[in-house]
Amino acid sequence: MNSTIKLYVRDLAKRGSTRSLSPDLASGVVAICDAAVLLLVALVPVALNVGGQLGQDRSTIYLPPSLMGTGLMIAILLNVGLYRIDWVVDVYRQLPRLATAWAASVLTVLFFGFLLQVLDQYSRLWALIWVFGSFAGLVGGRAAACQLVRHWIAAGLLARRAVIVGDPQEMRRLLDHLRPRDGQDFQILGLFTTEPDTGQGQPQGKPVLGYPVIGTAESLPDFLRTDRVDDVFVALPWTDGERINSLISRLRMLPVDVRLVSDALVFCKPKLTATRFGTVTVLEVARRPLRDWDALAKRAMDIGIAGTALFILAPLMALIVLAIKLDSPGPVIFRQKRFGFNNSVIEALKFRTMYHDRGDPSGAARTVRQDPRVTRVGRFLRASSLDELPQLVNVLRGEMSVIGPRAHPIAMKAGDQLYHEAVAEYAARHRVRPGLTGWAQVNGLRGEIDSIEKANRRVEYDLYYIENWSIWFDIRILIRTLITVLRHGAY
């Protein structure tokens, strides 16, 4: 091993410990603590025979619901992301999800108890202790876990230690996009260049974006055997297959994770997944959203919400129909061609808010504040978003969803251009059904689109929603929509 690497390794040792704790292992520790708290709250009262009414001869009947409730709670917490380190370290941020998971698990256990007709076998005192004690215990345990994990982060114990090897230009491009956060994600120890050395063991090249070039690709294995490294990023052009294969062949012999980051992938926005077809490894750069069980869950949610809303709001909708008929002549329902799933054209339904002879079925003319085309009743309906209620029928038909990117008229413009021509990734928002409301709308992107910048921002929010969809995300958007409608109106 050359002198440069020896000096650098010695310097690393002076900076602090080279040991770290895997973030996955830290998450596992939090999960074990949650399970322990839940079981203790459930079983300690049984062991103490609280109130003298549990009956020692019947104490074993409390074990099944305790295990079921604990397992269900851990599964839900895992599903909603509460074992990710960035959630664990923020107690207040995770409280709403924690409360939702707790309520869901408690109601599920009670539901099964009701179906099996065994609820009367259990002490009510024990049930109260378990229900409310479990939530208090979870909150307290999470507060303690938050402090412990923050201490680990401050000490650098959760940082994955990484080096980058490759072409200087490619390494610079990669470093431009890597954003370590407070030692939580990874720590870049240094760079190794594929350029030849000077003959004295010294690598050619100056520091790249502040990171030192501490060796060549040939000296990298010696470094990896001397200092603990978790990840090696290989940054080479994809056209340089020979060097990529040579590097990977050597690095596969060492106990590190090797990650290939080529020029074609640095700027690739989608999440990439490697999969195999037969004996061939391929990269999945785009994935059909809302597939299989996700699609079924979202459709069930749409039917449930739309059906219930139409049933409850039927009297209100009848009054709206009457008000529209009395206010101005013309049909009650306004029909407009809009983009639907996979760029298909659907006929979106709305209560008519404009004078019948001034409406624009194409959507080419933007609606502005104090628009003279809007009727008196229409102004109220638009301000309260009640004009959208007929689209619940579109949802039941399967043409729309309750939550999703807004359905745009096919002739809608952004600035002076057609929306779908002005924004490069516009069609990607049609990979899911359009919605009555969406992530863009609850983030203040409602109303008139009078610039390309606003159009791009809306599409960015729509694509973020598609890539990060979950039932919880939909519920969050629905709640924020209700708040937004109450606080602010449209026009």
Side-chain angles (χ1 to χ4, degrees):
M1 182 170 58
N2 65 46
S3 58
T4 302
I5 294 181
K6 286 182 179 179
L7 290 173
Y8 195 77
V9 169
R10 193 178 306 160
D11 183 56
L12 286 176
K14 290 179 181 179
R15 294 186 212 173
S17 172
T18 61
R19 300 183 61 83
S20 70
L21 179 65
S22 164
D24 292 336
L25 184 58
S27 298
V29 170
V30 176
I32 292 171
C33 291
D34 284 344
V37 167
L38 293 169
L39 288 174
L40 284 173
V41 171
L43 298 179
V44 167
V46 176
L48 297 178
N49 194 17
V50 174
Q53 56 179 304
L54 301 187
Q56 292 298 335
D57 58 328
R58 303 179 62 204
S59 60
T60 55
I61 69 172
Y62 291 91
L63 185 59
S66 301
L67 292 175
M68 178 182 176
T70 298
L72 191 60
M73 174 70 76
I74 299 301
I76 295 175
L77 291 176
L78 180 64
N79 186 60
V80 298
L82 287 190
Y83 289 114
R84 284 171 30 198
I85 295 300
D86 56 330
W87 282 89
V88 171
V89 297
D90 193 334
V91 174
Y92 296 106
R93 181 188 176 199
Q94 63 182 294
L95 273 179
R97 291 194 181 189
L98 197 64
T100 302
W102 166 79
S105 59
V106 168
L107 290 174
T108 302
V109 172
L110 293 177
F111 175 72
F112 276 101
F114 172 77
L115 287 182
L116 298 173
Q117 298 182 345
V118 296
L119 292 180
D120 58 344
Q121 299 180 23
Y122 296 91
S123 162
R124 291 182 176 85
L125 176 59
W126 173 82
L128 289 173
I129 292 174
W130 176 66
V131 168
F132 295 104
S134 60
F135 183 69
L138 276 175
V139 174
R142 286 275 167 156
C146 171
Q147 295 303 315
L148 177 62
V149 173
R150 284 189 175 189
H151 171 73
W152 287 342
I153 291 173
L157 296 179
L158 292 183
R160 292 184 64 87
R161 295 160 62 86
V163 297
I164 303 176
V165 57
D167 176 85
Q169 183 177 353
E170 295 300 318
M171 290 193 292
R172 177 180 294 275
R173 295 179 69 186
L174 174 59
L175 287 169
D176 276 335
H177 289 77
L178 290 177
R179 294 288 184 268
R181 297 174 309 201
D182 301 327
Q184 178 180 335
D185 294 323
F186 52 87
Q187 173 189 5
I188 299 174
L189 304 180
L191 313 179
F192 288 81
T193 180
T194 51
E195 293 184 349
D197 61 30
T198 59
Q200 291 82 33
Q202 300 296 327
Q204 291 182 348
K206 299 178 180 179
V208 178
L209 298 181
Y211 293 97
V213 178
I214 58 176
T216 63
E218 287 70 24
S219 62
L220 177 57
D222 287 337
F223 182 85
L224 297 178
R225 291 188 178 98
T226 306
D227 191 58
R228 189 190 59 76
V229 176
D230 300 304
D231 300 279
V232 176
F233 292 93
V234 178
L236 287 170
W238 249 0
T239 53
D240 199 350
E242 185 176 344
R243 278 199 298 176
I244 291 175
N245 288 332
S246 175
L247 263 176
I248 291 178
S249 296
R250 280 182 285 163
L251 294 174
R252 286 180 63 188
M253 307 299 172
L254 298 163
V256 294
D257 292 340
V258 182
R259 307 181 188 277
L260 176 61
V261 187
S262 291
D263 52 346
L265 305 180
V266 170
F267 298 106
C268 193
K269 293 182 180 179
K271 299 175 181 177
L272 303 177
T273 303
T275 186
R276 291 183 69 83
F277 282 84
T279 59
V280 179
T281 300
V282 298
L283 279 179
E284 186 179 82
V285 297
R287 183 177 177 85
R288 174 166 54 90
L290 297 176
R291 59 200 297 173
D292 305 326
W293 288 105
D294 287 346
L296 183 62
K298 186 167 178 62
R299 183 62 185 147
M301 179 179 173
D302 285 340
I303 293 174
I305 293 176
T308 302
L310 282 172
F311 178 76
I312 294 175
L313 298 174
L316 173 61
M317 294 176 72
L319 291 175
I320 293 174
V321 168
L322 180 61
I324 293 173
K325 295 296 288 184
L326 293 175
D327 185 49
S328 63
V332 171
I333 297 297
F334 174 70
R335 303 170 185 271
Q336 190 174 57
K337 301 293 184 182
R338 298 191 177 192
F339 285 115
F341 173 68
N342 202 20
N343 265 35
S344 61
V345 177
I346 64 173
E347 192 173 62
L349 307 177
K350 294 181 65 175
F351 282 127
R352 180 173 57 83
T353 58
M354 295 185 178
Y355 293 101
H356 177 55
D357 57 346
R358 304 185 199 176
D360 178 25
S362 71
R366 291 192 294 266
T367 306
V368 297
R369 293 189 184 277
Q370 305 301 320
D371 197 312
R373 299 175 297 163
V374 179
T375 65
R376 291 172 299 174
V377 171
R379 205 169 301 282
F380 167 76
L381 294 178
R382 297 176 72 89
S384 59
S385 296
L386 292 175
D387 60 322
E388 309 280 358
L389 290 181
Q391 289 178 23
L392 292 170
V393 176
N394 289 112
V395 174
L396 289 181
R397 288 178 181 172
E399 299 166 337
M400 294 180 64
S401 178
V402 175
I403 310 295
R406 287 286 288 154
H408 290 164
I410 57 177
M412 186 174 182
K413 291 185 177 180
D416 296 324
Q417 294 179 264
L418 289 172
Y419 209 140
H420 59 274
E421 295 177 352
V423 181
E425 295 185 301
Y426 181 78
R429 69 194 298 276
H430 299 149
R431 289 179 293 161
V432 298
R433 292 186 183 94
L436 275 67
T437 184
W439 184 233
Q441 283 66 47
V442 299
N443 280 280
L445 299 174
R446 304 178 72 202
E448 183 181 2
I449 303 176
D450 53 8
S451 68
I452 301 297
E453 182 183 357
K454 287 183 180 179
N456 277 300
R457 286 190 63 204
R458 287 199 183 187
V459 171
E460 286 176 7
Y461 275 87
D462 290 338
L463 298 184
Y464 177 86
Y465 166 78
I466 293 172
E467 296 292 338
N468 296 276
W469 177 87
S470 69
I471 287 291
W472 170 256
F473 200 2
D474 273 2
I475 294 173
R476 179 182 171 191
I477 293 172
L478 192 59
I479 293 172
R480 288 184 59 174
T481 296
L482 296 175
I483 296 173
T484 301
V485 169
L486 292 175
R487 288 182 178 177
H488 312 285
Y491 52 87

